[in-house]
Amino acid sequence: MHSLVKQKFWGIFWLLVAVFLWGPAPVITKLALAEIPQFSLSFSRSLLATAILLSLFYPRGYFKIERKDLAKFIAVGLAGSVFNVGFFFYGLQKTTASAAQAIFTIVPIINAVLAYFILKEKVKPIQVMGVLIGLAGAVMVAFGGMEEGRFNSGALLGDFFIVLAAVSWVFYILVSKNLSKRYSPFTI
């Protein structure tokens, strides 16, 4: 029992670390985009992450992929890194960091809906209620931020690209869910 409590503690601890690291990401990215071109920032981010992940996980054999799964891994990589980050960075140049963060909260909603229709996952009533509450919150944030001038400033285009980033992230989640049955999260 003691080890289970310890495991749960560390799981919650690392989730909180992730929240504190990802929470300010849109603000930091918005500041960085003021100084660094979008594609340079995206490429640098990906290059650094690739170097770190390869050095940590390649020696342990995590990158062994069956040929039949190669197309899925390419799709996951494109959706989770190229399109998600590209759309997010471009959208962030046009909209505010707070709007981007608020819009991106629709990911669990889109994920639940698409998982139901595409993966045929069962949905419990509490999950439906959560989706509806989340959707109501996202709509309130979206329409609450429609101050005058927002329509002409290009912010709506930015918001649209943030939605595209969210959809590409959901695609990443759904495809990688299938791969996670056969591969380690470190491989995916």
Side-chain angles (χ1 to χ4, degrees):
M1 183 67 174
H2 178 67
S3 68
L4 185 61
V5 171
K6 192 174 179 181
Q7 268 186 317
K8 189 173 184 177
F9 168 80
W10 283 111
I12 292 170
F13 173 79
W14 288 115
L15 282 173
L16 287 173
V17 168
V19 166
F20 284 111
L21 290 176
W22 280 109
V27 175
I28 294 167
T29 303
K30 181 90 173 167
L31 293 171
L33 286 169
E35 302 295 325
I36 304 167
Q38 169 194 351
F39 292 108
S40 298
L41 182 62
S42 181
F43 179 76
S44 300
R45 176 187 177 275
S46 296
L47 187 63
L48 178 64
T50 299
I52 291 170
L53 292 174
L54 278 176
S55 67
L56 290 174
F57 299 114
Y58 185 77
R60 296 184 177 127
Y62 282 112
F63 294 118
K64 292 184 176 131
I65 298 169
E66 293 180 33
R67 185 178 287 281
K68 68 179 176 118
D69 292 326
L70 189 58
K72 287 181 184 174
F73 272 97
I74 291 170
V76 163
L78 288 172
S81 292
V82 176
F83 294 125
N84 175 294
V85 173
F87 289 150
F88 191 81
F89 282 9
Y90 183 76
L92 200 53
Q93 288 178 316
K94 304 281 184 193
T95 192
T96 64
S98 58
Q101 191 76 327
I103 293 166
F104 215 78
T105 63
I106 65 170
V107 165
I109 298 164
I110 298 169
N111 187 50
V113 171
L114 291 181
Y116 174 77
F117 287 109
I118 295 171
L119 300 179
K120 306 295 183 210
E121 289 187 357
K122 301 214 185 295
V123 179
K124 298 176 186 167
I126 191 83
Q127 291 169 311
V128 171
M129 189 171 75
V131 165
L132 293 175
I133 290 170
L135 187 59
V139 167
M140 285 172 32
V141 168
F143 288 111
M146 293 298 167
E147 62 270 357
E148 216 174 295
R150 188 160 171 80
F151 290 102
N152 298 327
S153 68
L156 288 179
L157 179 63
D159 294 348
F160 175 72
F161 274 92
I162 299 299
V163 170
L164 288 178
V167 170
S168 66
W169 186 250
V170 169
F171 180 80
Y172 163 82
I173 292 169
L174 295 178
V175 175
S176 63
K177 191 171 200 173
N178 179 286
L179 291 171
S180 69
K181 295 173 186 169
R182 296 183 306 281
Y183 296 96
S184 157
F186 298 117
T187 304
I188 300 170

